[in-house]
């Protein structure tokens, strides 16, 4: 019989990593946590199909062993025992007996040999970056808001992907491009449905650096303590895309984000529920914000500007204003390093775009939002 002793706090710290990649349904090996002891060191592992992770656990073990336990049962059990509990797990055959301060329970283990281990793939993966976990999490948090979700219509847009140091994503209304220092040699591609799990892993690094490793079939992010997040590489790559960072906007309007947010909240309270269309029209020292009321009439408020400028030779803006998606503007302003927003405006043909730029520490953010059809 193999015996493992784990403090509840150490157990929970590991679950914060592997809990994000366990399957939420079914009863196969993907819905279980795998406990693996090699040379007296315990690791907890989980596999959710496309994503997987492992985390070392502070524990004592009297022999090398592998077994599994259903994830939801483990979580419920931990929630039910006192914080200072030290748990004893005894494994024999296919049964896991758990002894706690509250009492004893038993879990059933599946055959650990059926677990899809990724040791060899990780060993063969090449290091492509060493970067701040906090900065990488911030970049993916921003990119996540602009990822297309309809895989049937555009699988290549359902990802966030690095190219030449820039993280790209788009939902076909806005394009997010984030230049992350240190990621110049990485080409990791993360499916939109898995970005949240990746961000949670990066946040668990608590301000440290992580190592990015890439394999032709997988990507890995590794903490310094050996914890690993992995994802099977999604088959559709983001379209070839070039962003001209030097391109100047024809118009720039600078205003306080708080004033914009307040104007949008005020207008949406009187607009048709779910109407996302906001029309911006520049005046002498302000920008008119206009939406359509529930009765079908235009209603507007003025957005005071700190600065307005026009590039020489700029194309004249439409007389009726610029139609935009206000949720996309709100998201583009999200996480901005300053309370003041500088909105760049350009017209091309019958349409155009607005751009929001920001520098956050070492990294440059640029979000481009296309005009809606008038």
């Amino acid at each position: 019989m193999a015996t493992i002793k784990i403090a509840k706090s150490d157990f929970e710290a590991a679950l914060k990593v592997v809990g994000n990649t366990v399957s939420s349904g079914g009863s196969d090996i993907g819905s279980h946590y795998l406990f693996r002891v090699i040379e007296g060191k315990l690791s907890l592992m989980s596999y959710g199909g496309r994503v997987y992770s492992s985390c070392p656990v502070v524990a004592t073990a009297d022999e090398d062993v592998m077994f599994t336990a259903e994830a939801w049962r483990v979580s419920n059990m931990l929630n039910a025992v006192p914080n200072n509990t030290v748990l004893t797990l005894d494994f024999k055959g296919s049964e896991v007996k758990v002894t706690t301060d509250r009492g004893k329970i038993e879990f059933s283990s599946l055959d650990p040999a059926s677990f899809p281990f990724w040791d060899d793939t990780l060993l063969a993966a090449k290091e492509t970056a060493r970067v701040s976990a906090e900065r990488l999490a911030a970049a993916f948090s921003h990119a996540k808001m602009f990822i297309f979700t309809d895989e049937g219509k555009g699988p290549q847009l359902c990802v966030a992907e690095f190219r030449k140091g820039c993280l790209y994503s788009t939902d076909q209304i806005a394009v997010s491009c984030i230049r992350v220092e240190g990621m110049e040699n990485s080409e990791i591609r993360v499916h939109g449905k898995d970005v949240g799990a990746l961000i949670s892993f990066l946040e668990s690094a608590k301000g440290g650096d992580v190592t990015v490793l890439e394999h032709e079939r997988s990507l890995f992010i590794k903490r310094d303590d050996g914890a690993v997040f992995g994802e099977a590489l999604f088959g559709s790559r983001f379209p070839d895309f070039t962003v001209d960072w030097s391109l100047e906007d024809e118009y720039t309007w600078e205003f306080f984000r708080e004033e914009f947010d307040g104007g949008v909240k005020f207008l949406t309270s009187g607009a048709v529920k779910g109407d996302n269309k906001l029309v911006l029209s520049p005046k002498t020292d302000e920008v008119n914000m206009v939406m359509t009321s529930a009765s079908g009439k235009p209603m507007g408020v003025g957005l005071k500007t700190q600065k307005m400028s026009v590039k020489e030779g700029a194309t004249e803006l439409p007389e009726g204003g610029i139609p935009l998606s206000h949720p996309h503007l709100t998201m583009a302003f999200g996480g901005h390093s300053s309370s003041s927003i500088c909105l760049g405006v350009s017209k091309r043909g019958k349409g155009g775009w607005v751009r929001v730029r920001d520098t956050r520490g070492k990294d440059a953010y640029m979000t481009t939002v296309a005009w809606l059809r008038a």
Side-chain angles (χ1 to χ4, degrees):
M1 181 172 66
T3 299
I4 300 172
K5 292 183 181 292
I6 317 172
K8 177 184 176 179
S9 59
D10 295 324
F11 211 154
E12 289 179 325
L15 291 190
K16 287 181 179 179
V17 174
V18 299
N20 292 306
T21 58
V22 71
S23 293
S24 57
S27 57
D28 61 3
I29 198 78
S31 66
H32 282 229
Y33 292 130
L34 179 96
F35 296 73
R36 181 169 71 170
V37 179
I38 298 178
E39 296 180 354
K41 295 181 179 180
L42 172 65
S43 290
L44 219 57
M45 310 176 76
S46 70
Y47 173 83
R50 190 166 51 216
V51 290
Y52 34 89
S53 61
S54 64
C55 186
V57 189
V58 177
T60 60
D62 61 2
E63 64 178 84
D64 290 356
V65 67
M66 287 194 299
F67 58 86
T68 76
E70 279 187 281
W72 72 268
R73 296 184 187 277
V74 172
S75 297
N76 284 3
M77 179 266 297
L78 279 180
N79 289 334
V81 300
N83 289 333
N84 59 352
T85 297
V86 174
L87 301 93
T88 300
L89 285 68
D90 295 310
F91 173 71
K92 185 177 181 180
S94 61
E95 296 297 324
V96 184
K97 296 182 178 180
V98 184
T99 303
T100 75
D101 294 345
R102 195 173 292 281
K104 297 182 179 181
I105 55 173
E106 291 186 3
F107 297 146
S108 294
S109 172
L110 298 178
D111 182 2
S114 65
F115 189 83
F117 296 100
W118 53 86
D119 301 324
D120 292 341
T121 307
L122 177 58
L123 190 63
K126 295 182 179 180
E127 179 178 336
T128 58
R130 174 78 174 163
V131 68
S132 158
E134 184 177 2
R135 287 172 39 233
L136 195 57
F140 272 105
S141 294
H142 188 85
K144 182 177 184 289
M145 297 186 286
F146 306 101
I147 298 177
F148 194 58
T149 57
D150 192 336
E151 200 170 304
K153 292 183 177 179
Q156 74 278 12
L157 305 179
C158 295
V159 299
E161 183 167 349
F162 269 98
R163 300 273 178 79
K164 298 180 179 180
C166 290
L167 178 62
Y168 294 99
S169 65
T170 182
D171 62 0
Q172 295 191 308
I173 295 177
V175 176
S176 169
C177 181
I178 307 159
R179 194 161 51 197
V180 181
E181 184 177 304
M183 292 293 290
E184 293 79 9
N185 297 320
S186 175
E187 295 185 352
I188 60 172
R189 179 190 318 143
V190 183
H191 194 282
K193 292 181 179 179
D194 303 328
V195 171
L198 171 58
I199 292 170
S200 294
F201 178 82
L202 292 169
E203 290 175 344
S204 74
K206 297 180 179 178
D209 289 348
V210 291
T211 301
V212 179
L213 303 108
E214 298 180 50
H215 186 274
E216 61 182 6
R217 296 192 304 273
S218 303
L219 70 88
F220 298 95
I221 311 291
K222 188 174 183 181
R223 291 190 330 202
D224 286 344
D225 66 350
V228 171
F229 171 90
E231 184 194 36
L233 193 63
F234 185 62
S236 298
R237 54 191 302 273
F238 193 84
D240 290 331
F241 196 83
T242 301
V243 170
D244 185 355
W245 290 80
S246 65
L247 182 65
E248 294 183 18
D249 299 306
E250 294 182 320
Y251 300 80
T252 55
W253 307 333
E254 189 173 340
F255 50 84
F256 287 116
R257 176 183 172 184
E258 183 179 357
E259 292 295 320
F260 174 85
D261 290 343
V264 168
K265 289 178 182 178
F266 181 78
L267 291 172
T268 53
S269 67
V272 176
K273 190 174 183 179
D275 182 12
N276 293 335
K277 184 178 177 180
L278 172 72
V279 177
L280 300 182
S281 299
K283 302 301 179 184
T284 303
D285 60 352
E286 68 177 18
V287 176
N288 275 359
M289 303 170 63
V290 180
M291 292 188 70
T292 302
S293 70
S295 62
K297 298 177 181 179
M299 55 180 182
V301 296
L303 175 63
K304 290 292 184 181
T305 57
Q306 280 65 59
K307 182 180 178 181
M308 300 181 75
S309 61
V310 183
K311 181 182 176 183
E312 185 178 350
T315 307
E316 187 175 349
L317 295 177
E319 185 176 343
I322 302 168
L324 295 162
S325 164
H326 66 76
H328 282 80
L329 291 177
T330 299
M331 290 188 295
F333 300 160
H336 205 275
S337 61
S338 171
S339 60
S340 182
I341 301 292
C342 186
L343 190 68
V345 183
S346 295
K347 186 179 186 299
R348 291 293 185 275
K350 294 182 180 180
W353 63 80
V354 298
R355 296 197 296 184
V356 184
R357 302 171 185 255
D358 191 25
T359 300
R360 305 177 191 176
K362 298 179 179 179
D363 306 324
Y365 287 64
M366 183 166 65
T367 309
T368 304
V369 182
W371 299 3
L372 299 177
R373 292 181 180 179

